[in-house]
Amino acid sequence: MTSRLTRRQRRRVSQSVQYAVFVAVVVLIAVTADWDRLQNQFAQQSLAEQLFPDIITVALRNTVVYTVSGFAFGLVLGLVVALMRLSSVAPYRWVASVYIEFFRGLPALLIFIFVGVAVPLAFPGTEFPGGTYGKVALGLGLVAAAYMAETIRAGIQAVPKGQMEAARSLGFSHARAMVSVIIPQAFRIIIPPLTNELVLLFKDSSLVLFLGVTLDERELTKFGRDLASQTANSTPILVAGLCYLLVTIPLSFLVRRLEARAARAK
């Protein structure tokens, strides 16, 4: 009489079945796909070569500038909102809570439309500092600040309360203790999630195309989309996607390393 399988054996059988199904699906796709048509539409080498160096010197550069400016603005605003969220003054907490829920609840696309359309209509003649770059920094920053505020708040609350008590016993005021002792420790804790937010902002910068940009202000998605329309071929979009991966994969790897280091430090 055959004995029943142990839990470990059942797990191995289940894993083997899953691997077999995965291999079967890959083989099926490889056999049935029309690779010639895919290559013609997405991987024309001659067309890809025409994208350089502009896709790097213009599109990728603008994407990085948009991301960094939005992240910097969001980080500063997020810190202010986080401190308001932790304030003992009730109106500050209410304003911070409303801001966080509002901007976390709306799609980033609507924020960009608001910045690009509603603000100029509401304030005629008003010009953003930096033009399109200022609009992008504001749009990305408003969204990022709502998420980073909660991250920073969690980081501040994760710092042991004894740190504040020790600083106050040394004669520090509450504000000075926060700036000199608590916030630096909090930022060391939240570096991994902040880096992850940077990755998300890098991808959200593709929403710039809804603001109406000039040729010299195009980021990767707008650059690839425009050339794909001109050439009736999707190779520019594929190359733009590879440029995104050129930045996001190293950043994602950095996030995992930072998270692992933080876990070992606990």
Side-chain angles (χ1 to χ4, degrees):
M1 183 175 180
T2 305
S3 60
R4 297 177 61 183
L5 295 176
T6 65
R7 180 178 299 178
R8 178 177 297 180
Q9 289 172 331
R10 289 197 299 270
R11 184 167 60 250
R12 288 178 177 175
V13 171
S14 175
Q15 290 176 347
S16 298
V17 172
Q18 294 177 43
Y19 288 143
V21 171
F22 175 76
V23 172
V25 171
V26 172
V27 171
L28 180 63
I29 293 175
V31 171
T32 58
D34 191 337
W35 295 105
D36 290 335
R37 292 183 63 184
L38 286 173
Q39 181 179 1
N40 182 64
Q41 183 64 26
F42 288 94
Q44 284 194 19
Q45 182 177 350
S46 59
L47 181 56
E49 292 174 350
Q50 296 175 19
L51 304 179
F52 293 89
D54 288 349
I55 196 170
I56 300 296
T57 59
V58 176
L60 182 57
R61 176 182 61 83
N62 283 334
T63 302
V64 172
V65 171
Y66 293 149
T67 303
V68 172
S69 61
F71 183 83
F73 179 75
L75 184 61
V76 173
L77 181 58
L79 176 58
V80 173
V81 174
L83 294 176
M84 292 174 62
R85 187 78 168 80
L86 295 170
S87 174
S88 59
V89 181
Y92 288 168
R93 296 198 304 271
W94 299 338
V95 171
S97 298
V98 170
Y99 176 89
I100 291 170
E101 295 302 325
F102 181 80
F103 283 98
R104 290 177 67 180
L106 288 178
L109 173 59
L110 294 184
I111 305 302
F112 268 80
I113 293 176
F114 173 80
V115 170
V117 178
V119 172
L121 288 176
F123 304 98
T126 301
E127 295 185 2
F128 282 88
T132 299
Y133 294 95
K135 292 180 183 179
V136 176
L138 178 61
L140 288 178
L142 287 174
V143 176
Y147 290 93
M148 287 195 278
E150 287 293 88
T151 300
I152 295 171
R153 179 183 64 84
I156 292 175
Q157 292 179 327
V159 177
K161 294 182 179 179
Q163 296 292 317
M164 174 62 77
E165 296 171 356
R168 295 302 298 273
S169 68
L170 293 174
F172 284 57
S173 65
H174 184 274
R176 184 181 175 190
M178 286 292 294
V179 173
S180 302
V181 179
I182 305 301
I183 292 178
Q185 293 187 60
F187 270 88
R188 283 196 292 269
I189 296 172
I190 63 176
I191 284 177
L194 287 183
T195 307
N196 190 57
E197 181 64 29
L198 181 63
V199 175
L200 296 177
L201 280 182
F202 186 77
K203 293 183 290 185
D204 283 346
S205 65
S206 61
L207 296 174
V208 173
L209 64 91
F210 291 98
L211 293 179
V213 296
T214 65
L215 293 178
D216 292 334
E217 296 171 339
R218 291 181 297 178
E219 41 68 55
L220 284 170
T221 299
K222 176 66 172 174
F223 185 90
R225 183 181 177 184
D226 287 350
L227 292 183
S229 299
Q230 295 173 12
T231 60
N233 190 278
S234 299
T235 299
I237 295 178
L238 177 64
V239 177
L242 294 177
C243 289
Y244 275 107
L245 294 177
L246 186 66
V247 175
T248 57
I249 289 179
L251 283 177
S252 299
F253 177 75
L254 177 61
V255 171
R256 291 193 295 270
R257 290 291 301 272
L258 292 173
E259 289 176 343
R261 179 179 297 180
R264 289 195 300 267
K266 293 181 179 180

